[in-house]
Amino acid sequence: MNTLSNSELTLQVSLHGAELCSIRNNQGREYLWQADPAYWKRHSPVLFPIVGSVWENVYRHGGKTYTLTQHGFARDMDFELVEESPSWLLYRLSDNEETRLKYPFSFSLEIGYRLEGRRIGVVWRVANPGAETLHFQIGAHPAFYFPDYDPAASQRGYFGFDRKEGLRYGLIAEKGCMDVSTVYPLRLDDDGLLPLDVHTFDRDALILEDAQVKRVVLYGNDRKPCLALHFDAPVVGLWSPPAKNAPFVCIEPWYGRCDRARYSGELKDKDWVQHLAPGAVFEGGYTIEIMP
């Protein structure tokens, strides 16, 4: 683990997956889920080179077929720490023989964490050192404790957004892939908040596409804000494990999304895939704000 700390927060980051594993305030309160495998064994994995699942775990590129499991391989690989300062950590993963068997592209993936006051800036840089266009997706999957979790109660808290009208979401249909034929209205209460309870995620993740929102705030049952995510990603997933009464919820900005159900096209033509020319660099990320 590597540690960043200031007068407000202390972070811990693992070389494995360059994964953020802890966010504590100076009173010792933990905000990030601590990976109890009874519910979900991760904290905040980075999803690369795909977000979600490809249909039947198979995708096609250049006339060849490859296998990739859900969310890709970066979260399960060891990164190299390449920069470190009192407020900044930067990790790097590059393609190798192992990755090219699953994903035949040259790439450099950098993941950085910057701590400033109560804000954690998460930085992603994808570089293409190869001779062909790099097709990829990248996304976040941070899990946060519900502020007032009570396993015996139904209510979990609320989500708030920077938009209060006309929000819509899609759902996973089968084999981890999306039904794109149906969208549902996201019904907010009179205060513009989405109530969260034990049944909110019975049908798996709520997926908001088309850059509908750029901020998601997690509130407690008392409607006081606990934390917020700020992002520019075009897709955001909201998730807690279905039917597990889990103590956490995920807010997931994505530059990508799972396949539509029964997709059989090329990787380059997937929904929300990113395209990076030889020599080019993609930059993305998001910010976690811990509320006072």
Side-chain angles (χ1 to χ4, degrees):
M1 290 285 180
N2 301 108
T3 300
L4 294 178
S5 187
N6 63 16
S7 61
E8 301 284 351
L9 300 174
T10 297
L11 315 182
Q12 288 194 310
V13 184
S14 173
L15 288 171
H16 190 68
E19 183 176 5
L20 181 61
C21 295
S22 177
I23 304 171
R24 287 184 179 271
N25 68 11
N26 57 9
Q27 286 81 45
R29 177 181 177 179
E30 177 65 69
Y31 291 85
L32 203 62
W33 169 243
Q34 288 303 289
D36 179 351
Y39 297 97
W40 188 57
K41 67 178 183 179
R42 302 179 190 269
H43 307 269
S44 179
V46 177
L47 318 179
F48 177 90
I50 58 170
V51 171
S53 297
V54 291
W55 182 250
E56 303 280 13
N57 289 333
V58 169
Y59 73 94
R60 289 145 295 278
H61 171 67
K64 295 183 179 180
T65 299
Y66 300 88
T67 299
L68 264 182
T69 53
Q70 187 185 45
H71 296 322
F73 50 75
R75 62 182 183 167
D76 294 317
M77 301 190 73
D78 290 337
F79 282 61
E80 176 189 6
L81 180 63
V82 293
E83 290 182 18
E84 183 176 11
S85 77
S87 60
W88 169 249
L89 296 167
L90 183 68
Y91 301 83
R92 182 181 298 142
L93 175 70
S94 299
D95 63 284
N96 54 43
E97 288 186 13
E98 179 185 355
T99 67
R100 287 190 291 271
L101 291 174
K102 309 171 187 177
Y103 183 66
F105 296 94
S106 297
F107 69 86
S108 171
L109 168 62
E110 292 185 338
I111 300 172
Y113 298 95
R114 178 174 289 108
L115 178 59
E116 296 179 339
R118 295 191 183 98
R119 288 184 170 236
I120 302 138
V122 183
V123 177
W124 300 325
R125 296 182 192 137
V126 181
N128 180 5
E132 66 170 318
T133 300
L134 173 60
H135 308 296
F136 72 96
Q137 299 174 327
I138 190 167
H141 202 322
F144 302 101
Y145 282 104
F146 284 117
D148 307 305
Y149 177 73
D150 176 356
S154 175
Q155 184 66 29
R156 292 287 173 267
Y158 301 85
F159 275 147
F161 308 95
D162 54 335
R163 175 178 166 185
K164 296 184 178 181
E165 296 181 353
L167 293 175
R168 61 198 186 280
Y169 67 92
L171 291 170
I172 302 296
E174 53 183 314
K175 298 182 180 180
C177 294
M178 189 169 174
D179 173 13
V180 297
S181 65
T182 306
V183 294
Y184 305 86
L186 194 68
R187 302 191 184 282
L188 309 183
D189 68 13
D190 291 342
D191 294 325
L193 301 180
L194 175 67
L196 304 175
D197 62 31
V198 294
H199 298 297
T200 301
F201 303 100
D202 280 355
R203 299 178 68 185
D204 215 313
L206 312 183
I207 301 172
L208 284 69
E209 301 187 87
D210 301 314
Q212 294 180 65
V213 298
K214 297 299 179 84
R215 185 181 74 247
V216 179
V217 182
L218 176 61
Y219 293 82
N221 289 329
D222 57 3
R223 298 178 180 258
K224 292 182 179 179
C226 172
L227 57 88
L229 260 68
H230 308 262
F231 49 88
D232 289 320
V235 186
V236 61
L238 308 172
W239 178 79
S240 190
K244 284 194 174 182
N245 196 12
F248 67 89
V249 67
C250 296
I251 306 169
E252 309 177 35
W254 299 335
Y255 294 85
R257 194 207 66 214
C258 61
D259 275 357
R260 56 182 66 197
R262 306 189 181 280
Y263 180 70
S264 60
E266 289 262 318
L267 175 65
K268 66 181 178 63
D269 298 319
K270 273 173 56 72
D271 297 333
W272 300 110
V273 75
Q274 308 296 314
H275 311 284
L276 197 59
V281 177
F282 164 94
E283 294 193 2
Y286 64 102
T287 298
I288 303 168
E289 179 185 6
I290 303 300
M291 305 299 199

